[in-house]
Amino acid sequence: MSFEEIYSKYVDAVYRFLKFKLGDEHLVEDVLQETFLAVYKNFQKIGEVSSPKAWILAIARHKLVDHLRKKRLVEVELNEGIEVDPGPDRLFIHQLLSHLDETARTILYGLYVEQLTCSELAEILGIPVGTVKSKAHAARAILQNKLKEESV
Amino acid sequence: MTRQEMHELALDYLQKRLTTEEKAKVFRLIEVDAEFLQVLSFEATLLRQFEQLKTTAPAGLRKRVQERITAATQNPGKVIAGQVIHYILKGTLPQIAWAVYQPWQRRVFAYE
């Protein structure tokens, strides 16, 4: 696969991920560009990875953290999250996810939007698969309670 | 089967990732296990909610980024010069002028 083909195949997934994490379109564009430049520079590695999508999203996550650190939007951890303007249609899901920590939000996003496996998410987040599974389970329990409260 | 395994099975079913045997197991559980049915319904609700986040990159942005990557990899000198100018202006322009300059710069680079 050429770089152009990889770009066409994964640009939407990276854009969505960055949009979910950052919200701001200009910031998304900058980090998207940095991500694919890094992909280009390390293109020879893509044949060695088990999941190109997970590999590219892991790069995007690193670039995102670097970018935020540089901009001093985060000082200690990403755990406080960034204020994202979700737009009216996406308000409910963002409200729902606001009850979770940043890692749990990313895990559920990966599972439900990108259809990633727990192993792929573990690779992206740099945590054990077991932690991904247990965090996903705990997050589901929180959301289930919140949905019940909403329906009452 | 644990509750966690039920969630994983239900999600795999909804995302069409199961083998014929696994699907048969899901159908059996739907018939006999009220708890599994509840889990399946919850997973379907979550999937529906997350559907709203399935956006695609705007065509203009896709094109701009691809062009900038091509330029950066084919003419790195020009890009370095551009970055130097970018950081000088970022450091020297007042914040309001920078806010105007950034979108303008993006448009110029997009149609270069």
Side-chain angles (χ1 to χ4, degrees):
Chain A
M1 242 186 189
S2 68
F3 173 76
E4 286 70 26
E5 285 168 323
I6 290 289
Y7 179 81
S8 299
K9 190 170 180 185
Y10 296 111
V11 67
D12 285 334
V14 178
Y15 171 83
R16 262 195 305 270
F17 175 68
L18 295 172
K19 184 84 182 159
F20 173 69
K21 303 289 271 183
L22 290 166
D24 179 88
E25 197 80 17
H26 294 316
L27 217 51
V28 168
E29 186 168 336
D30 288 346
V31 182
L32 184 78
Q33 183 179 326
E34 284 175 27
T35 301
F36 277 101
L37 262 176
V39 170
Y40 184 89
K41 284 175 190 161
N42 295 284
F43 198 61
Q44 76 285 356
K45 289 183 191 163
I46 206 156
E48 300 161 19
V49 297
S50 53
S51 163
K53 189 177 185 179
W55 180 68
I56 294 170
L57 287 175
I59 294 174
R61 186 176 172 271
H62 284 127
K63 292 292 170 192
L64 163 75
V65 173
D66 285 350
H67 208 86
L68 293 177
R69 284 211 179 109
K70 273 186 217 157
K71 284 193 167 267
R72 296 181 188 178
L73 286 173
V74 278
E75 297 196 333
V76 187
E77 248 294 346
L78 263 171
N79 276 344
E80 292 307 312
I82 306 298
E83 283 302 318
V84 171
D85 176 15
D89 295 345
R90 299 176 194 127
L91 200 58
F92 182 69
I93 185 69
H94 277 275
Q95 272 173 356
L96 207 55
L97 292 173
S98 69
H99 300 288
L100 306 174
D101 67 47
E102 190 60 29
T103 308
R105 274 204 288 266
T106 306
I107 289 171
L108 291 196
Y109 172 85
L111 288 173
Y112 292 92
V113 180
E114 297 304 334
Q115 302 198 4
L116 295 166
T117 63
C118 290
S119 311
E120 287 172 322
L121 279 162
E123 189 187 327
I124 293 167
L125 295 166
I127 56 177
V129 180
T131 309
V132 173
K133 287 189 176 191
S134 59
K135 273 198 158 282
H137 189 57
R140 282 177 177 126
I142 293 170
L143 295 192
Q144 205 157 14
N145 282 335
K146 292 291 164 194
L147 283 171
K148 264 184 208 158
E149 282 170 20
E150 288 283 333
S151 62
V152 171
Chain B
M1 185 185 266
T2 65
R3 184 94 178 171
Q4 187 174 336
E5 286 166 342
M6 277 188 191
H7 280 283
E8 287 167 5
L9 184 66
L11 183 60
D12 283 344
Y13 169 70
L14 292 168
Q15 290 181 335
K16 299 181 173 62
R17 289 199 289 212
L18 295 184
T19 61
T20 314
E21 291 81 37
E22 287 167 330
K23 266 191 236 167
K25 186 181 175 182
V26 168
F27 296 144
R28 260 197 319 277
L29 283 168
I30 289 172
E31 282 174 15
V32 299
D33 193 333
E35 191 185 356
F36 181 76
L37 201 57
Q38 196 187 11
V39 166
L40 188 65
S41 157
F42 168 72
E43 289 297 331
T45 306
L46 264 196
L47 262 181
R48 244 194 337 271
Q49 291 298 331
F50 274 101
E51 275 291 316
Q52 295 161 24
L53 300 176
K54 281 194 177 172
T55 52
T56 53
L61 182 145
R62 272 174 95 109
K63 192 167 173 255
R64 263 196 316 275
V65 172
Q66 192 166 17
E67 282 170 354
R68 275 193 241 130
I69 291 168
T70 307
T73 50
Q74 286 175 357
N75 195 350
K78 188 180 167 189
V79 174
I80 290 166
Q83 279 174 347
V84 170
I85 292 169
H86 178 91
Y87 283 109
I88 290 171
L89 289 176
K90 195 176 178 180
T92 54
L93 281 179
Q95 212 171 8
I96 187 142
W98 178 247
V100 174
Y101 167 73
Q102 257 196 313
W104 173 81
Q105 181 201 32
R106 284 195 172 92
R107 274 201 300 277
V108 169
F109 284 159
Y111 297 108
E112 237 178 9

